[in-house]
Every structure is written in C-alpha cells, then in structure tokens.
C-alpha cells in the first residue's frame, strides 16, 4: 500500500494555519525524493482565501508538482458537537468517505503531525 499512497488529508480552521503549514511542509520535505503524484486534501473549516494562497505558495516552493484540493466544509454541519481545542475541524474527517469517494487509500493526519520520512 505504501507505493499506492498518494492522497494525504488534513483538517484545519483559521486558528490552525501555522500547524497546518508545518505539518504539510514536513510531509512534502519527507517526500521530496519520491516520483509519485501527491495530492494534499485540506478539509477547510475557516481558512481565509488570502491565507490559503499563502500556504499553497510556501508548499509549492517545497514540492512543485504537488496537487492541492481544498474542501470547504460548512461548520454548521457540526452544530451541537463539542468543540475540540477551540474548533470543530477535527470532526471534518468523518466526511472523508463522502468527500473522497473515488480514492482507494488516504492518510489522514492531524495538524500536529510531523513527518520525518
């Protein structure tokens, strides 16, 4: 499965931009010598457009051929859920079967994950 793994998923809101930036950057650095196509999916629950553009610019500087898919998630889908670390983005992962229905395998990682290889 390791050779097939091309889709990586993170969930974040505006409060976790820095953590998201570092987590994705570490994944891209760890994948620098791979020849596979990498798709980074971000379950976005409140990252502003300008902030998103800045993130993508940084990430493209690390791994030029990476593809990004931004999935805008309406926070109201989780109304009534208990907030985790001040937000609801962690719950967005339950939408993965719906959002990535055409993807056989993906790796979901929280924004506090740091990849080293």
């Amino acid at each position: 499965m390791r050779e097939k793994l091309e889709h990586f998923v993170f969930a974040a809101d505006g409060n976790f931009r820095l953590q998201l930036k570092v987590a994705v950057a570490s994944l891209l650095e760890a994948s620098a010598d791979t020849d596979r196509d990498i798709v980074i999916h971000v379950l976005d629950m409140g990252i502003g457009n300008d902030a998103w553009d800045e993130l993508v610019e940084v990430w493209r500087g690390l791994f030029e051929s990476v593809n990004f898919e931004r999935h805008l998630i309406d926070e109201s889908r989780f109304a009534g859920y208990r907030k985790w670390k001040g937000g609801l983005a962690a719950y967005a992962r339950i939408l993965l079967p719906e959002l990535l229905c055409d993807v056989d395998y993906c790796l979901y990682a929280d924004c506090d994950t740091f990849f080293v290889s």
Side-chain angles (χ1 to χ4, degrees):
M1 173 163 34
R2 187 174 188 187
E3 292 78 27
K4 294 180 182 181
L5 190 57
E6 296 176 339
H7 295 267
F8 300 87
V9 185
F10 300 86
D13 59 22
N15 295 325
F16 278 80
R17 282 190 329 262
L18 178 58
Q19 294 90 330
L20 174 66
K21 180 180 183 179
V22 172
V24 172
S26 72
L27 171 64
L28 296 175
E29 278 291 315
S31 303
D33 60 352
T34 186
D35 62 350
R36 65 181 151 185
D37 295 325
I38 292 181
V39 182
I40 303 292
H41 298 268
V42 175
L43 310 180
D44 180 348
M45 290 189 62
I47 299 170
N49 289 332
D50 290 340
W52 173 257
D53 292 341
E54 290 172 16
L55 289 170
V56 170
E57 183 178 340
V58 167
W59 295 331
R60 285 219 188 277
L62 298 171
F63 198 107
E64 198 171 293
S65 64
V66 68
N67 294 307
F68 297 100
E69 291 196 23
R70 182 183 185 196
H71 304 271
L72 299 174
I73 310 295
D74 183 357
E75 188 175 289
S76 69
R77 292 186 75 164
F78 304 103
Y81 284 55
R82 193 176 100 215
K83 289 193 174 189
W84 177 256
K85 303 286 184 181
L88 297 170
Y91 298 110
R93 69 183 104 182
I94 66 176
L95 301 174
L96 286 176
E98 173 186 330
L99 296 171
L100 303 182
C101 60
D102 60 337
V103 173
D104 290 331
Y105 300 99
C106 72
L107 175 75
Y108 174 87
D110 286 328
C111 291
D112 60 356
T113 303
F114 190 79
F115 294 87
V116 293
S117 67

